Amino acid sequence: MNQIEPLYDKKYTCAMCESTFTTKKVRSRFVKVLNFDTDFAPLYADGFENPNFYYINVCPDCGYSFTDDFSSYFPPGAKQVIQDKICSQWVPHDYGAERTIQDALNTFKLAAYSSMLKKEKHIVTAGLYIRIAWLYRSTENLDQELRFLKLALKEYTESYSTGDYKGTQVSELRLMYLIGELSRRLGQTQDAVRFFSKVIEKQRQSVEPQIIQLAKDRWQEMREDKVVSGS
């Protein structure tokens, strides 16, 4: 009997150059999450795969990089901008095999750039930036982690103000909590308190009690930190 491998090939057609390519994805049985950090970063068990390594699809021919969350729509002029900024400078490189953490970081940065040039929804770009921060956290690179948390916070805040998260898997409550939590991690205490308060105010009509509890826990931690620091 053949042994089942953790990675399998998935076929895509590039929306930019229309070439087809395969890229690796992780079979769910080879993913084991032990728990989640306070900003929803998953902690994977040793010996299991990190599916974030394979989250991004990179066209080996033109360099356009995307996720399953990208829309099929390109705003007027976007394809030409991507052609000029990415495709024309692309040195053919195939990320379709097993990836290292550095490969994963490279693919995410390509996708974030593609997302920005394409004017993808803020909620989509934010999801890329926060995953880059999580990858850097796993390598204990605090400077880069904070850099990308800051970029994620900016995009999440834009998503909240424009409402472009509506119709996605990210609920308003989850988004408000994330803005509060990233603000807290970046030392922006007033914004953190404001958004945690917004979450807690919704507790009577919420269908996500675990997020209400997370906001209460962070709020309590911040109050205790304030007492300890004497401010």
Side-chain angles (χ1 to χ4, degrees), residues 18-196:
E18 297 184 356
S19 66
T20 58
F21 64 95
T22 60
T23 189
K24 299 289 185 194
K25 298 291 176 185
V26 182
R27 289 192 169 90
S28 56
R29 72 178 74 175
F30 293 96
V31 178
K32 185 178 181 182
V33 179
L34 294 176
N35 55 37
F36 292 92
D37 209 336
T38 53
D39 61 354
F40 305 126
L43 177 65
Y44 297 104
D46 286 344
F48 285 80
E49 296 290 334
N50 181 342
N52 271 332
F53 279 29
Y54 303 95
Y55 190 72
I56 308 297
N57 315 309
V58 180
C59 174
D61 291 338
C62 77
Y64 176 64
S65 306
F66 58 98
T67 71
D68 295 349
D69 296 326
F70 276 42
S71 75
S72 56
Y73 171 72
F74 284 77
K79 281 197 171 183
Q80 189 58 53
V81 173
I82 292 168
Q83 176 62 40
D84 295 344
K85 301 274 190 185
I86 296 176
C87 307
S88 67
Q89 299 172 46
W90 178 248
V91 177
H93 188 100
D94 191 355
Y95 283 104
E98 197 169 331
R99 293 177 184 171
T100 63
I101 192 163
Q102 190 56 56
D103 290 334
L105 285 166
N106 293 347
T107 64
F108 268 104
K109 288 172 185 178
L110 282 164
Y113 193 38
S114 295
S115 181
M116 190 182 70
L117 296 177
K118 184 177 179 282
K119 296 185 168 61
E120 196 55 71
K121 284 183 174 184
H122 295 292
I123 196 71
V124 171
T125 309
L128 299 172
Y129 284 140
I130 200 170
R131 283 176 171 83
I132 296 173
W134 295 345
L135 287 172
Y136 276 121
R137 185 179 305 164
S138 72
T139 67
E140 300 181 353
N141 187 331
L142 183 62
D143 287 348
Q144 290 298 321
E145 179 196 334
L146 294 177
R147 177 190 165 206
F148 283 97
L149 285 181
K150 198 174 289 184
L151 290 167
L153 175 59
K154 181 175 180 290
E155 293 295 324
Y156 279 127
T157 305
E158 288 286 341
S159 179
Y160 180 71
S161 60
T162 61
D164 79 3
Y165 62 90
K166 290 170 184 170
T168 72
Q169 291 179 320
V170 182
S171 66
E172 182 184 37
L173 201 72
R174 189 180 181 94
L175 178 57
M176 291 191 301
Y177 170 79
L178 263 174
I179 292 171
E181 173 57 7
L182 298 192
S183 299
R184 183 186 75 83
R185 284 174 174 265
L186 292 163
Q188 299 170 17
T189 310
Q190 283 183 314
D191 287 341
V193 167
R194 187 157 58 91
F195 275 91
F196 288 148

